[in-house]
Amino acid sequence: MDTSFLIKSVLFGTSTGDAIGVPVEFKSREYLKNHPVKDMTGYGTYNQPPGTFSDDSSLTFCLAEALTHDFDLSLISENFLKWKQEAYWTAANRVFDIGIATNKAINNLKNNIRPELAGGINEDDNGNGSLMRISPLVFYIYKMPISERYSIIKKVSSITHGHIRSIISCFYYLEFMISILTEKNLFKIYDNLKITISEFLKELSIDQVEIGFFDRLLKYNIYELSEDQIESGGYVIETLEASIWCLLTTNNYKEAVLKAVNLGSDTDTTGCVIGAIAGLYYGYNNIPEDWINKIKRKKDIENLAERLSKKIK
C-alpha cells in the first residue's frame, strides 16, 4: 500500500471538495439547480479567490500535522487553538469561517478544559464540525482492533463535538474509509458495515434511540433515495448521509463532489467530507489536475502528506 499516495489523495480530496463548495456556501438547492456549480470558481459567499479552502480543510490539516508526531490529544488541541488565534494552516493567513460549536469548544480549550471534555455533549451540539476534519485519523487507526479505533475516534471527535451522534457519525465514516483500503466494491462495503457497525454499537450498549438516527445507513439502502430525500445542512447526520449517498450514486471524484456541492446549504463541508472519501477511493490521479493546481498552499499540503506518510510507516 502506497501510504504517501493515499494520504495525498485524502488531503487534496478534502481541500479540493471544500474549495469547490466555498463560493456557494448557504446557497439553496433551488438556486443551484438554476446556477449549478460545474467547475472550481472563486469569490461568491466569502469573496475568496479560486482554490481557497475553509476551516474544514484547515482543521483537517491541523489534525494531520499533529499526527506527524506521536498521537496526543493536547497537540491536536494546540493546533486547533493556533488555527483560530494565529490563522495556522489557513489558505491565506485568515480565518473567515468557524462553526458555533467548534468556536465554543476552542474557547474551552483556551480556558484549559481537557481536550476530550471541550466539545459540547448536548443534542443541539451535533453540527458537522468533527466529521469534516476527521479523515486523516484513518491512517493512524486502520490497523487497530475495532474497539480501539472507536475509543480514539471518540476522543478526537470530542475535542469539539462530544455527543454520541457526532461520535458515531465519525466512526461510521472512518470505518467506511478503512474498508476502502482493502475492498473496492462500494456496495459490498456498505452492506458489510450494516452488520459490523450495528453489532459493535449493540455491544457498547448505546441507547437504541441514538442508533436509530442511523437507520437510513444501517438498515436501508441510502443510494435508493431520491435527491429530495437527502438533506445537506450543517447537522452531522445530514452531512454523513449526503456524502455516502453521493459516493454511491456517482462514478468518479469530480462527479461526486459536484453532486454534493449542488445539494446546496453547507456546501463547503459536504464537499469536504465527500472529497476526502472519494479522494481515497478514486485516488489522487482522479481529482481534476486543474482543480488541484488552483488549491492554495499546494506545496505545503504535499509536504504534509509526505511527512505524515513517513510517520505512519
Side-chain angles (χ1 to χ4, degrees):
M1 182 168 61
D2 186 345
T3 311
S4 178
F5 178 81
L6 293 173
I7 293 172
K8 190 164 75 164
S9 299
V10 168
L11 296 187
F12 277 101
T14 297
S15 51
T16 304
D18 182 6
I20 294 288
V22 164
V24 292
E25 188 176 10
F26 309 127
K27 294 293 186 185
S28 69
R29 191 171 301 182
E30 183 179 0
Y31 173 88
L32 289 169
K33 283 189 187 302
N34 295 316
H35 308 87
V37 176
K38 298 178 180 178
D39 204 348
M40 182 175 286
T41 61
Y43 306 103
T45 303
Y46 296 103
N47 197 32
Q48 298 295 311
T52 302
F53 52 81
S54 74
D55 57 319
D56 303 48
S57 297
S58 292
L59 290 170
T60 299
F61 298 149
C62 284
L63 172 57
E65 189 69 61
L67 293 174
T68 65
H69 304 278
D70 292 335
F71 179 77
D72 184 348
L73 282 187
S74 295
L75 182 55
I76 299 168
S77 302
E78 286 169 19
N79 285 353
F80 290 177
L81 269 168
K82 280 172 66 180
W83 165 73
K84 186 188 174 189
Q85 296 176 341
E86 304 170 25
Y88 181 62
W89 262 116
T90 53
N93 203 35
R94 186 167 83 89
V95 175
F96 61 85
D97 190 18
I98 185 169
I100 294 169
T102 297
N103 189 41
K104 184 178 174 183
I106 291 177
N107 287 337
N108 285 338
L109 293 171
K110 188 178 179 181
N111 291 325
N112 296 318
I113 290 178
R114 285 168 49 197
E116 61 268 39
L117 301 176
I121 57 172
N122 297 320
E123 188 174 14
D124 59 0
D125 291 320
N126 280 306
N128 51 25
S130 63
L131 181 65
M132 72 186 192
R133 60 168 170 80
I134 204 78
S135 59
L137 194 61
V138 69
F139 298 108
Y140 177 72
I141 65 171
Y142 74 96
K143 292 180 181 177
M144 298 176 180
I146 189 169
S147 58
E148 196 170 345
R149 296 197 298 264
Y150 176 83
S151 176
I152 289 171
I153 292 165
K154 180 179 181 180
K155 290 175 184 176
V156 175
S157 175
S158 295
I159 297 173
T160 57
H161 293 71
H163 191 276
I164 189 63
R165 224 170 289 168
S166 290
I167 293 163
I168 293 174
S169 295
C170 290
F171 177 63
Y172 180 96
Y173 181 67
L174 289 184
E175 287 297 295
F176 207 118
M177 292 184 77
I178 287 169
S179 298
I180 285 172
L181 296 175
T182 55
E183 171 61 61
K184 291 306 173 187
N185 186 317
L186 292 174
F187 296 94
K188 188 173 181 181
I189 292 171
Y190 183 79
D191 285 340
N192 287 342
L193 289 181
K194 287 181 184 179
I195 299 167
T196 58
I197 290 182
S198 296
E199 288 180 350
F200 180 73
L201 295 178
K202 190 176 179 181
E203 288 174 14
L204 292 180
S205 301
I206 291 170
D207 186 344
Q208 286 298 314
V209 173
E210 286 298 332
I211 297 175
F213 283 102
F214 296 87
D215 278 357
R216 297 213 302 183
L217 291 168
L218 295 177
K219 290 187 176 180
Y220 307 112
N221 294 330
I222 199 163
Y223 52 84
E224 294 176 349
L225 300 181
S226 68
E227 183 184 279
D228 291 341
Q229 295 172 288
I230 301 296
E231 301 294 333
S232 54
Y235 175 41
V236 67
I237 293 181
E238 290 181 10
T239 306
L240 176 64
E241 288 185 343
S243 65
I244 300 301
W245 180 78
C246 287
L247 184 68
L248 295 175
T249 57
T250 55
N251 296 300
N252 57 65
Y253 177 90
K254 182 176 183 179
E255 191 182 335
V257 165
L258 291 179
K259 189 167 191 174
V261 168
N262 283 309
L263 291 173
S265 193
D266 200 358
T267 52
D268 59 334
T269 304
T270 312
C272 165
V273 174
I274 181 61
I277 196 167
L280 180 65
Y281 182 70
Y282 291 108
Y284 178 82
N285 297 333
N286 194 248
I287 304 171
E289 187 178 3
D290 59 321
W291 288 3
I292 288 175
N293 288 336
K294 290 176 183 172
I295 292 295
K296 303 299 180 186
R297 302 190 62 177
K298 179 173 178 278
K299 293 291 185 186
D300 291 334
I301 299 168
E302 289 173 342
N303 177 265
L304 175 59
E306 191 60 37
R307 287 185 289 114
L308 182 55
S309 69
K310 288 178 179 175
K311 179 63 179 179
I312 297 301
K313 286 175 183 177

